Amino acid sequence: MADEIEVDTRGGPTTGPFYEDAEGFNMPEAPGTGSRRIPRGDFPTGPDVGQRLPDIVAIDQTGRLVDVHEDRDGQPAVVVFYRSAVW
Amino acid sequence: MDTFRAAGVRLYALSYDEPDALADYATAQDVTFTMLSDPDSKVIESFGILNALIPPEDHPWYGIPFPGTFVIDGEGAITHKFFEHNFAVRPGPEQLLAAALDQEFELPADRSATEGAEVGHVEVDVAFAGDFLPMGLTRQIVATFSVPAGQHLYGPPTPDGLVATAIELDDIDGVLSYDVVAPPTAPLTLSGSGETLQAYNGDVVLRLPVTQNARAMHKDDEGRYVTISGRVRWQACDDVKCFLPESSAFSFRVEAGFPVLGDMGAGEGRVPPMNGAAHFQKMIDRRR
């Protein structure tokens, strides 16, 4: 799978120690390196619209074990997958 | 976050960070939504969205997802998905809330009194939804078309000579737009020409997500404003004939948000400290 996904290396150096990606966002690394390896073509985006959201059971910021479907208690929800809170 | 709570919509954010890193972040940022820790990327893998472009030996990036957002209804079914190629771009809270409440195509409550039905032709109102334009987070240009009874507007594809309903942004350095959010169309055959078109049913709301990449912030005399301009296009038909295509220009001058940077260094726009450097070192070490 990995070798079927193209890495987006468009963009290049800009002022100072920074680089710029294809959409003009500034960044400390060259496009396509380190944490900046982002897809250009198709890439997996998980379960489709219409499917039940797969179970998520994980520890939260207070140390509590959370089962998302149980915890939301029948309410609609927004579930964000992001890269990191640290960097 | 109060708006989400008042609307009865829960918010969860999952990353491969350790729980103690999330705790420090939540304290520094006064986070009131649920942050979930997936240090082994097990949940991320179970969703099939592990960033496969990063090899396992590449510390500390390995384990991150292709970032994206799922919106689910009360039954737990996925109703919307937001995945962009570029992780620098994410849907804004207004967009997510409208999706979660199934209100994307709802007509604004404070619509002007001049409805299309009264004047016999399509009336258009264009608004910028949001009070500023942050970097990477989308806001929306919302176009509301009031369509008289018996007339229709159309979505793509349209045959030659007929204009699809659209929001077009001028080419502005630093301003980016994404796929328009449009209601579903239904096939409609005109009795006059016999042509089958993709018609919107009644009044139409289109939402164009826009964001900026920070270059725009230097383009204005006052440094932090950006002008977003463009036009909406449409063409109405009734059952027997089509009216001339029309367009209407819009221009909004909005404040551009300053980029928010991590806490691992000095500089304007840095977030409050969360002991980021130590947590980052731990990430480098944890898979050795």
Side-chain angles (χ1 to χ4, degrees):
Chain A
M1 190 68 191
D3 52 2
E4 294 169 21
I5 305 172
E6 189 187 347
V7 182
D8 197 339
T9 55
R10 294 172 298 167
T14 179
T15 49
F18 292 103
Y19 296 85
E20 181 172 279
D21 70 13
E23 289 190 310
F25 287 101
N26 265 350
M27 50 199 198
E29 301 164 291
T33 64
S35 66
R36 308 291 313 208
R37 275 169 286 198
I38 63 175
R40 184 168 181 183
D42 285 341
F43 65 102
T45 61
D48 290 324
V49 168
Q51 294 182 348
R52 179 180 161 84
L53 187 86
D55 287 337
I56 299 174
V57 181
I59 306 277
D60 77 358
Q61 71 267 37
T62 68
R64 181 176 63 112
L65 188 68
V66 176
D67 177 330
V68 167
H69 281 303
E70 194 182 294
D71 182 72
R72 67 186 176 79
D73 196 23
Q75 291 182 298
V78 171
V79 181
V80 180
F81 285 81
Y82 66 106
R83 305 193 318 156
S84 176
V86 173
W87 46 273
Chain B
M1 199 51 230
D2 287 343
T3 314
F4 273 67
R5 192 173 295 114
V9 177
R10 301 298 307 269
L11 176 59
Y12 302 89
L14 182 140
S15 66
Y16 78 154
D17 300 311
E18 302 285 340
D20 60 342
L22 298 184
D24 280 357
Y25 183 91
T27 303
Q29 298 286 328
D30 293 328
V31 170
T32 54
F33 56 86
T34 304
M35 303 180 77
L36 297 171
S37 167
D38 186 26
D40 302 319
S41 307
K42 285 196 173 113
V43 175
I44 292 167
E45 280 195 83
S46 79
F47 272 66
I49 57 173
L50 184 76
N51 186 336
L53 300 171
I54 298 171
E57 61 274 16
D58 194 0
H59 307 288
W61 316 121
Y62 177 73
I64 62 171
F66 290 119
T69 301
F70 295 90
V71 176
I72 60 174
D73 62 18
E75 307 298 314
I78 299 166
T79 60
H80 299 75
K81 273 193 351 178
F82 299 91
F83 278 82
E84 288 290 341
H85 282 86
N86 195 335
F87 61 80
V89 180
R90 304 114 198 254
E94 298 88 354
Q95 192 172 355
L96 292 173
L97 199 57
L101 297 174
D102 198 21
Q103 290 177 344
E104 286 172 300
F105 308 120
E106 228 167 62
L107 299 165
D110 56 350
R111 202 148 56 120
S112 76
T114 321
E115 302 295 350
E118 292 166 22
V119 292
H121 59 83
V122 175
E123 291 279 300
V124 184
D125 179 62
V126 186
F128 177 79
D131 46 8
F132 73 110
L133 188 66
M135 186 184 84
L137 274 174
T138 61
R139 294 295 185 262
Q140 294 181 327
I141 295 169
V142 183
T144 305
F145 302 80
S146 301
V147 183
Q151 295 182 21
H152 286 96
L153 299 182
Y154 303 91
T158 49
D160 280 354
L162 189 82
V163 171
T165 319
I167 305 174
E168 293 174 358
L169 211 58
D170 290 335
D171 189 11
I172 306 159
D173 195 20
V175 177
L176 308 163
S177 67
Y178 295 87
D179 289 344
V180 72
V181 182
T185 57
L188 180 82
T189 303
L190 301 181
S191 65
S193 67
E195 241 168 343
T196 298
L197 303 168
Q198 293 301 315
Y200 293 117
N201 185 22
D203 294 344
V204 180
V205 177
L206 296 185
R207 294 172 169 271
L208 183 72
V210 294
T211 190
Q212 52 102 355
N213 63 17
R215 287 195 296 187
M217 290 171 42
H218 309 292
K219 300 298 176 191
D220 187 281
D221 287 344
E222 292 176 43
R224 292 201 174 177
Y225 286 85
V226 57
T227 297
I228 302 169
S229 60
R231 71 209 52 73
V232 291
R233 292 188 189 282
W234 70 96
Q235 185 171 11
C237 303
D238 62 21
D239 193 37
V240 290
K241 63 179 184 302
C242 290
F243 301 92
L244 288 174
E246 297 187 68
S247 73
S248 173
F250 60 81
S251 179
F252 304 104
R253 184 170 177 270
V254 294
E255 191 173 358
F258 201 84
V260 175
L261 307 173
D263 79 333
M264 291 190 285
E268 187 186 357
R270 295 271 167 195
V271 301
M274 60 155 286
N275 203 16
H279 286 300
F280 190 69
Q281 186 59 49
K282 201 166 150 187
M283 285 174 147
I284 293 171
D285 294 339
R286 70 181 175 180
R287 288 198 188 87
R288 282 221 168 108

